[in-house]
Every structure is written in structure tokens, then in C-alpha cells.
Amino acid sequence: MKRYIEANKERFFEELFSLLRIPSVSAKSANKPDMLRCAQRLRELLTESGADGAEVCPTAGNPVVFGWKTVDPSLSTILIYGHYDVQPAEPLEKWNSDPFEPVIHDGAIWGRGANDDKGQLFMHLKAFEYLVATRKLRHNVKFIFEGEEEIGSPSLPQWISDNRDRLSADICLVSDTTMISDKVPSINCGMRGLAYFDVTVTGPDKDLHSGHYGGAVANPINVLCEMISSLTDDCGRITVPGFYDRVVELSDEDRAQLARAPFDLDEYKDFLGIREVRGERGYSTIERTGIRPCLDVCGIWGGYMGEGAKTVLPSTAHAKISMRLVPDQKSGEISELFERHFLSMAPDCVRVDVRRSEGGNGFLIPITSEAYLAASRAMADVYGVEPVPSRGGGSIAVLAEVQKILGIDPLLMGFGLERDTIHSPNESYLLSQFFAGMESIALFYGYYK
């Protein structure tokens, strides 16, 4: 694989860049044509890499790219999942280069989607291409590349259900996550779920003069801030009644296993530019982001936000609130609990509306499975260190649906690093990780039976 990369890497870069140049931002309706264009380009790359066939399949939302290679129906089948949609690039002024004109410098690929998930998805295409070209492929392979992961994959579960027979496989292999470091690799054995809401607080039917009405009429921004503040207590626990009913407390042994991951708190704080961490009392930083749920305000606005002063008491205030959930918590149940609780807190002086947005359940996989052990052996060969099991703090909501509908476990061989700043300006992907990912994936095929 190393020799194949060296002989073909310039072509690899150009092919990847052809994907990165397409602004496939699923959150923006204006980019709808780009979604189809990116899907069509992926279909071409699948065919060129050696797939028997590839299709752009319509869904209720953005299209799914489905490809397949049948070596022998009696052999095991690996289903590759990835997503070609990306986060919005804003704020554009924070980028050091055009987010949709990828560049290579300082040992990394820079651009929106370089890591999440076009760069990581692309590793699977090239590892597959290598195995086909060298006649080393001993598995049947299927590919699902979707265009809605960044907005919660609303259309994919139904498409998977409708195509259950075509998608039958033994394992779902995914590269859409990070590892602890390039010196200490890790494999995610679980991810958190998600419940996301848009809330609006409405007071008077128009903006009011804050001098004439301030102190006599409720300010929706003040009320919203009070309501949000009450959602967590002084111990960092979420106050929604029933929220923790399904949260499983890990044993001391399981917590010790997670603590094997090397972690330097001072280095962590320095990287983030913060003086101190904060979270649920009684848990470490790694546990807070892996095995415990949390609640965060992802956006809040209202009133006048332009230059200078405008003494206005606003009519409305808005916020986006997310809750990361741990396995056994159900996104639908938590959404009902949150909505009921948030509406019950509303004082009579305002009207509160809650709209559910993204959502999905978390999942866990056993670290004793044949697929996990094959991935561990492959990454140990490449990195010279046995990877440690970890739990991802983020969410890939649709993987729980894959697990439920198809009856197969997802295996997350992610090669991103925290330094890659996915979802933020100046997203990047180290070339060393890009190449190590291809090597590890190719070796996985050799070790997985």
C-alpha cells in the first residue's frame, strides 16, 4: 500500500480536490445543486476505483451514492459508510485560504471537508482501489455515501429500510471520527446520541423603547437566559425531570479501561486557550465527553446586534439547544421530556415555542468482536502501538439506525485529530494521517475474515 500511495498520490490529491471544491453544504438550500454534483462525482470515483456498479439514488432529501463489488457471494461483506455533505464554512473571514479551494501546506490538506468526511471517505476508495488493482480483495464490498449527515440524516433511515436486502452485510466500516493522537491511536467503540431544539421566546408584539417600557414589560432575552440557566444545576447536572432515568453508570473497571487513554489536562487547556475546564462534578474530562450526557446552547440571539447603541426591548429571543445523549437514552423520549419541561417553565409574561430539530440515538459495540480485533491489529501494524478503545463525544445518529435496521455493528476507524478543527475555520487533515488511514484500512481487509 505504501508503494501504491507513492506511485499514485498526485492523482489521489487531484481526485480528492475535485470533491473538496464542490460546496456540498447540506444545511443551505442554495447548495442543493452542489449536493447532486458531488454525488455524481463520487459515483464516477467509485466506478474508476473498481466497483462493479455505482448509482446515485434519490431520497426524500439529498441523494445517496450506492456502490458494490461482488467477489464471491459466499465471502463476508463489508459495508462502507461515509458522508459527502459538509458544514457551512462561515465565518469566512477566519479562514486563511478559500475553504472550497483546497491547498497543501505544513504537511496537511486544508479546506472544508478535508477531514470531515470527504478526506476520510476517500481513504476507503483508495484502499479499495489498491486491493482490486492488486487482486488482494477477499471480501464483497458495498458503499453508502450520504448527503445529510451534517443535518441529522433525516432521509437515510427510510432509504436503508427500503433497500435492506441490497445492503445486507457483516460489518459497517466507518471513518468519520478522531483518534486520541497520531502517537497513541484509538478506535471508537461507541458514540453519543443527540437531541436538538430551536426555541423562541416572544414577549410584546413589537420591539419597544427600553426607557418607556423597561422594568414594566418582560424582556424575552432576559427570560430566555433565565430559563436556559435553570436547565443545569451547580453540579453540572441537567435538571430536566427523568433525564437520567436511562443513563447507565459505568463500573470502576470500565472507567479504568477508558482512563488508559493518555490525557494531559494542561495541554488540553492550552490547546483550547482556556484557564479551566468545567462539567459534571465527579467525572474526568474524558468521561464528560464520552460516557456522560451534556446540554449546550449552540446559538442565541435577539434584539439589536448592529453597530452602536439602540435602546430597544426586543419582541423575541431565540436559541438553539443541543443535548448529547449516552447509549440507552432514547432521543425521542428525551425530546419529549425537554419540550414538556421547557414549556412548563415559561412565565405568563411570555410565550414559548419549542421546535425539535436533529436527533438520534447513541450506540456501543463490543471490543471483543472479530472486526474490532482486526482493526486493532491493522492499526498496531501501521502505528507500532496497540490502539486503545475510546468513546466518541460526537454523534453520527444514523449509525444506530444502521445497527437496528441491518442488524450489523458499526466499526469506527477514524483517523482525524483534534488539531484538524472540523466544523471550524481552517479545517485540515494531516497527510501522515491520510496515508496511514489508507494503509490501516487495506490491512483491515487482510485481517478481517
Side-chain angles (χ1 to χ4, degrees):
M1 189 70 216
K2 285 180 182 290
R3 290 193 298 270
Y4 195 78
I5 291 170
E6 189 60 33
N8 293 278
K9 65 181 179 181
E10 295 306 321
R11 173 173 62 86
F12 288 179
F13 291 147
E14 189 47 51
E15 289 176 352
L16 174 59
F17 285 11
S18 72
L19 293 172
L20 297 180
R21 291 188 181 106
I22 302 173
S24 48
V25 181
S26 53
K28 296 184 176 182
S29 57
N31 292 90
K32 191 77 173 178
D34 298 309
M35 307 308 296
L36 177 59
R37 192 156 58 96
C38 197
Q40 291 171 335
R41 179 60 180 137
L42 274 171
R43 178 184 59 188
E44 294 172 354
L45 290 172
L46 268 169
T47 302
E48 293 167 5
S49 295
D52 291 342
E55 303 172 357
V56 175
C57 306
T59 73
N62 294 323
V64 169
V65 183
F66 175 60
W68 65 93
K69 177 74 174 180
T70 303
V71 175
D72 182 336
S74 67
L75 297 173
S76 58
T77 299
I78 298 172
L79 176 65
I80 307 298
Y81 165 87
H83 67 90
Y84 63 86
D85 64 321
V86 298
Q87 285 278 320
E90 286 80 358
L92 298 177
E93 68 276 8
K94 298 289 187 179
W95 286 80
N96 296 328
S97 58
D98 186 335
F100 295 108
E101 187 50 55
V103 294
I104 295 177
H105 63 80
D106 296 331
I109 303 167
W110 301 77
R112 177 56 89 223
N115 178 315
D116 182 22
D117 181 41
K118 291 178 181 178
Q120 295 210 59
L121 171 160
F122 189 81
M123 298 183 308
H124 286 274
L125 284 175
K126 297 301 107 176
F128 169 75
E129 176 188 299
Y130 160 74
L131 293 169
V132 172
T134 57
R135 302 193 177 189
K136 296 179 183 290
L137 186 63
R138 297 294 181 267
H139 301 81
N140 305 308
V141 187
K142 298 176 181 178
F143 299 87
I144 298 176
F145 299 144
E146 68 151 321
E148 297 182 335
E149 192 276 337
E150 299 292 7
I151 55 172
S153 303
S155 307
L156 191 59
Q158 185 61 53
W159 186 86
I160 291 174
S161 183
D162 292 343
N163 293 272
R164 183 184 291 108
D165 292 340
R166 297 183 78 190
L167 299 173
S168 62
D170 297 283
I171 189 71
C172 180
L173 186 59
V174 184
S175 294
D176 188 22
T177 51
T178 59
M179 60 170 56
I180 294 171
S181 80
D182 56 350
K183 303 295 187 296
V184 183
S186 58
I187 300 174
N188 269 335
C189 56
M191 298 196 76
R192 294 193 287 187
L194 177 69
Y196 197 102
F197 309 89
D198 293 285
V199 301
T200 299
V201 175
T202 304
D205 61 2
K206 64 182 76 64
D207 289 355
L208 302 177
H209 189 296
S210 65
H212 292 174
Y213 296 95
V217 177
N219 183 323
I221 296 178
N222 294 356
V223 173
L224 176 58
C225 290
E226 292 165 4
M227 294 176 70
I228 289 172
S229 179
S230 73
L231 289 173
T232 53
D233 64 18
D234 292 341
C235 295
R237 288 177 62 86
I238 295 164
T239 58
V240 175
F243 182 84
Y244 289 95
D245 287 355
R246 288 183 179 267
V247 176
V248 177
E249 291 287 342
L250 262 67
S251 66
D252 291 342
E253 182 180 353
D254 286 339
R255 292 178 72 175
Q257 180 78 348
L258 289 173
R260 285 179 51 208
F263 180 75
D264 186 312
L265 183 58
D266 290 333
E267 185 178 293
Y268 180 83
K269 292 187 290 187
D270 184 61
F271 173 73
L272 297 175
I274 59 175
R275 289 181 295 176
E276 194 50 80
V277 294
R278 185 177 182 181
E280 186 179 0
R281 189 177 299 170
Y283 296 92
S284 69
T285 298
I286 289 179
E287 291 174 333
R288 289 168 179 167
T289 58
I291 66 171
R292 300 300 295 173
C294 66
L295 182 150
D296 286 289
V297 178
C298 298
I300 186 167
W301 68 99
Y304 178 69
M305 293 179 287
E307 185 179 359
K310 182 180 181 183
T311 52
V312 62
L313 192 156
S315 172
T316 59
H318 311 268
K320 293 181 179 290
I321 299 174
S322 81
M323 287 188 280
R324 298 288 178 172
L325 314 176
V326 294
D328 291 342
Q329 286 185 300
K330 305 301 180 186
S331 179
E333 291 179 7
I334 295 299
S335 294
E336 290 181 11
L337 292 174
F338 174 85
E339 185 172 354
R340 187 184 311 136
H341 177 64
F342 202 75
L343 291 174
S344 73
M345 291 193 297
D348 292 339
C349 53
V350 296
R351 185 178 75 252
V352 174
D353 298 298
V354 178
R355 184 174 67 84
R356 299 184 194 182
S357 184
E358 297 183 40
N361 299 325
F363 64 88
L364 283 174
I365 64 168
I367 63 174
T368 55
S369 70
E370 184 179 343
Y372 182 94
L373 295 174
S376 179
R377 185 176 174 187
M379 292 173 72
D381 282 359
V382 173
Y383 287 89
V385 178
E386 181 183 350
V388 298
S390 67
R391 292 204 193 180
S395 305
I396 307 177
V398 76
L399 294 185
E401 297 296 320
V402 168
Q403 194 177 40
K404 180 175 72 174
I405 298 170
L406 299 181
I408 59 176
D409 284 337
L411 176 68
L412 287 86
M413 289 180 71
F415 296 89
L417 301 171
E418 286 301 321
R419 63 158 302 282
D420 299 334
T421 62
I422 63 170
H423 290 205
S424 298
N426 300 309
E427 178 181 348
S428 65
Y429 195 19
L430 280 179
L431 293 175
S432 56
Q433 289 293 98
F434 181 56
F435 298 143
M438 292 183 204
E439 294 175 41
S440 299
I441 292 164
L443 283 170
F444 169 83
Y445 280 89
Y447 291 137
Y448 179 62
K449 305 303 181 187

